[in-house]
Every structure is written in structure tokens, then in C-alpha cells.
Amino acid sequence: MTAAGPAAPAGPGSAAGRVVLVTGGSRGIGAACAAWFARHGDRVAATTRGPADALRPPAGVPEERFLPITCDVTDPVEVEAAFGAVEERWGPVEVLVANAGITKDMLVVRMGEDAWHDVIETNLTGAFRVAKRAVSKMLRLHRGRIVFVSSVGAFVGLPGQANYAASKAGLVGMARALAREVASRQITVNVVAPGVVETDMTGALGEARVAELVGMVPLGRAGSPEDVAAAVGFLASDAAAYISGVVLPVDGGLGMGL
């Protein structure tokens, strides 16, 4: 785990930038989110289940503004250690992007208990853990932004993804309940729901399945991780200060607001 000496936390508009934590920040949407915030002047910590030293700062971002952390969100001890490392270096997390997620696709009749449990534990319970830990300090700051990364699959019900869809749909209910709990402290909680996005997770579906899904997208193309990162960045910005409890689809029109 990477850590450095303590520094005073920065307030809104500070030249030091906000303190941002992105879970699952080693690739795909998570890496794009980390890069978006870093390039907009924030200090960014990104988690990975692998070795932290394999994560490098986004291009053009100084190393002192990027903190890679090994953290498995299914482990409460590692979650606590990750937040501790961020706080030791920069202060409390002001923006949380709960993105870490996995898939274990198969039809329900073939799905074992482990495949169900592992996906729910990572995608939903892991998001709960990091959000709870972030909120504990945001309440004292009287500010904060939390963005959960869900999926269009939570709404359209893709075959073979009962566990994934359940976990991603659960994020919506959790986000809305949490949004009401913390609103009086000027903390917003929102959800982005990506559609077909060019990531390793989508690529694992196979070329034929991806082509079939892209064919269902009104805009006629897959999205990029950067498309999703821009939406996440907006929800975490001052421009979205009066937006909370919403689900923002980033799916090229696939779900049409479902």
C-alpha cells in the first residue's frame, strides 16, 4: 500500500483539488474515472485487487497527485486500510466513485450459490462498505459526492446475468435511501448506468454477443469508458450540486430511461 505524510484536507475550490477515491480503478471505467478527476485538478486514489505498484498515474498527472492502493472491497479490513491510507496522505475522501465489480454469468438453473454470493458481495456489499466508510467523514465535512456505477443490465434483464442485474439494481435502491439520509449535510448520492461500453468485461461476452448488443443501441455504437467518466465527473461537480438520488443512463439510448 502506498502512503505518504499527512496533509491538510482541501476545501471546495482549493488549488490542491478534492480528494477522490475510485474503487476498481485499474482498468476500464474505473481507470477512465481516475484519469478524469486527476486531469481536472483533483487528487485521486484508485484501488485494485492486484499489486498497487502496477497502477501508474494517468498521462500528465504527477505521481504526488495519484495514490494506487491494493484493496479488495469484499474485505472490511482492506477497505478500512485503504481509507486510512488516503486520509493519512491527503485527508478525508470528498468524492467516492464506487465502481469495483465482477461478473459470473450463467443461467439461473446452472448458477451455484458461490457465483451468486461472489457477485453480490463485490458489486453490492462492497459498494455499501466503501460508501459507509466515506460517509462517516463526509458528514463531518458537511459536503461530499458519492457516485455508484450500476448498469443498464439492472433494468433490461439480460439473460445469464441474474446475479449481476440484482447487484446493480440493488445499488439504485441503496443510493436513493442513502441520498435521503445524508442530504441535510449537502452530500449528494447518484448512480450512473452504463450500457454497452468497450471494456474487458464487455469483451468477455464474445464478439457475436457484443455485436448483437450494439445492434440494439439507437446511437449505433458502443460507448467508451471516457463517456461514462464524463457523466461521473458531472455528477461529482458543482454543476450537479442540486442533483441527488438520480440514475443517469450512459447507454446510447439502449434503456431509454428504464
Side-chain angles (χ1 to χ4, degrees):
M1 183 175 296
T2 304
S14 166
R18 298 171 300 176
V19 178
V20 179
L21 175 61
V22 179
T23 65
S26 62
R27 58 183 180 173
I29 291 171
C33 288
W36 191 97
F37 285 103
R39 289 168 182 160
H40 282 76
D42 294 316
R43 295 166 292 174
V44 180
T47 73
T48 175
R49 287 187 297 173
D53 56 10
L55 280 183
R56 305 303 305 162
V61 175
E63 289 192 7
E64 61 268 20
R65 300 186 67 83
F66 182 76
L67 178 63
I69 302 174
T70 297
C71 176
D72 184 342
V73 296
T74 68
D75 186 335
V77 174
E78 291 195 15
V79 169
E80 178 60 35
F83 276 87
V86 176
E87 291 163 359
E88 181 181 3
R89 181 161 178 175
W90 292 322
V93 171
E94 298 165 276
V95 178
L96 170 68
V97 180
N99 167 73
I102 62 171
T103 58
K104 290 192 175 183
D105 293 355
M106 62 191 73
L107 298 175
V108 167
V109 294
R110 299 175 182 172
M111 187 176 293
E113 294 280 340
D114 287 348
W116 174 269
H117 178 271
D118 291 349
V119 171
I120 297 295
E121 180 67 14
T122 300
N123 299 4
L124 182 56
T125 308
F128 159 76
R129 286 193 183 98
V130 295
K132 178 181 178 180
R133 182 57 174 78
V135 163
S136 69
K137 296 301 177 76
M138 290 179 180
L139 289 170
R140 299 176 188 177
L141 293 173
H142 287 255
R143 66 177 185 274
R145 299 281 188 270
I146 296 175
V147 182
F148 293 107
V149 179
S150 179
S151 168
V152 70
F155 307 100
V156 301
L158 297 174
Q161 290 196 326
N163 50 0
Y164 184 76
S167 70
K168 293 299 187 178
L171 290 175
V172 176
M174 179 168 67
R176 287 176 169 164
L178 182 57
R180 293 187 184 275
E181 291 180 12
V182 301
S184 65
R185 300 297 181 94
Q186 303 306 304
I187 301 167
T188 66
V189 185
N190 292 294
V191 180
V192 294
V196 186
V197 178
E198 296 172 340
T199 64
D200 292 345
M201 187 178 290
T202 299
L205 298 174
E207 289 186 12
R209 180 57 173 156
V210 171
E212 179 184 358
L213 292 172
V214 170
M216 298 165 60
V217 178
L219 287 183
R221 66 173 179 87
S224 69
E226 289 72 24
D227 290 327
V228 182
V232 171
F234 165 70
L235 290 174
S237 72
D238 289 343
Y242 202 57
I243 299 174
S244 195
V246 307
V247 178
L248 178 58
V250 189
D251 61 6
L254 177 60
M256 287 291 177
L258 291 175

